Amino acid sequence: DTMIVVMSDHGESLGERDVYRHASQLYNEQTHVPMIIYHPQIAPRRVRDYVSTIDLGSTILSANGVACPEEYIGVSLLPLMKGESFNRPPVFAEFTKEEVSQYVMLEQQVHTEWKKYMAVSQDGFKIIFNRDVFTFVLYDLKTDPKEERNLSNAMPAKADEMKKLVLQYVDIVTASRPATADEGRYSKAGGADGDKVED
């Protein structure tokens, strides 16, 4: 009669894209984590849909008949677990940080001033937006989970659709960030003197 959830922290780059770090990029090797949920009244099944760890709270509450607070962003995964029709809204993530590791050789450091945003849509596509140099890469996670083939040019309509999603996310994040927030503290984009850069 007990619900059990097993999941992990974020992943680790072990040479993919010549990166040997963790918590430094938004590619699958660092963001894709397992989630195993046992519910005594739901038959086991393997689900290949991309969801978010932010859905866990909503799923646990709804499995126990508790309504989710309005401010919860995650959605209940119970329909997906039961094999029912399920359409998860896009999943968004942000990375903005400067970190230089003393344990990694200089040539293996990530360009840590990059700020990247990603969206994983309900149909399995993912776009990564490099905000500093304004570039986009688009992947089909169903056929390319290692994110080796950028489809931005091959699928311009899908790329435009995903660009709109991620740019809307940037607008929301920018509008909701306090005026006193100092992104320059976390990024070389703030300039050598650390002055705040307005986006």
Side-chain angles (χ1 to χ4, degrees), residues 11-25:
E12 182 90 11
S13 289
L14 300 173
E16 302 88 350
R17 285 165 257 276
D18 294 321
V19 174
Y20 297 81
R21 294 290 307 281
H22 72 274
S24 59
Q25 293 183 322

Side-chain angles (χ1 to χ4, degrees), residues 35-181:
M35 182 187 291
I36 302 169
I37 303 176
Y38 167 77
H39 191 288
Q41 282 136 13
I42 299 177
R45 71 179 68 244
R46 182 169 186 171
V47 177
R48 296 190 178 275
D49 297 52
Y50 279 82
V51 296
S52 173
T53 54
I54 204 168
D55 298 327
L56 191 55
S58 301
T59 303
I60 292 171
L61 289 177
S62 61
N64 288 283
V66 179
C68 295
E70 287 184 11
E71 60 268 23
Y72 269 38
I73 298 173
V75 298
S76 173
L77 302 178
L78 280 184
L80 191 61
M81 293 164 57
K82 294 176 180 178
E84 300 171 357
S85 177
F86 182 80
N87 187 14
R88 201 215 178 280
V91 177
F92 298 96
E94 175 185 12
F95 175 79
T96 303
K97 186 176 179 183
E98 178 180 1
E99 179 183 344
V100 177
S101 173
Q102 60 181 324
Y103 305 108
V104 178
M105 292 181 290
L106 187 60
E107 64 271 17
Q108 293 176 337
Q109 298 282 355
V110 180
H111 294 286
T112 50
E113 68 273 16
W114 289 356
K115 301 175 192 145
K116 294 184 179 180
Y117 301 82
M118 81 173 177
V120 181
S121 76
Q122 59 269 30
D123 56 4
F125 284 90
K126 173 179 173 182
I127 193 165
I128 301 177
F129 171 38
N130 184 325
R131 193 170 170 185
D132 282 350
V133 293
F134 210 88
T135 57
F136 300 87
V137 287
L138 175 70
Y139 301 105
D140 181 350
L141 299 179
K142 294 175 290 189
T143 61
D144 181 26
K146 292 185 178 180
E147 299 164 317
E148 296 174 329
R149 295 183 301 277
N150 179 7
L151 300 176
S152 294
N153 293 328
M155 302 182 70
K158 175 56 74 173
D160 286 343
E161 174 190 333
M162 299 293 287
K163 282 179 188 177
K164 287 178 184 174
L165 278 176
V166 77
L167 290 174
Q168 285 173 353
Y169 177 56
V170 171
D171 288 343
I172 291 168
V173 168
T174 303
S176 62
R177 186 164 281 144
T180 56

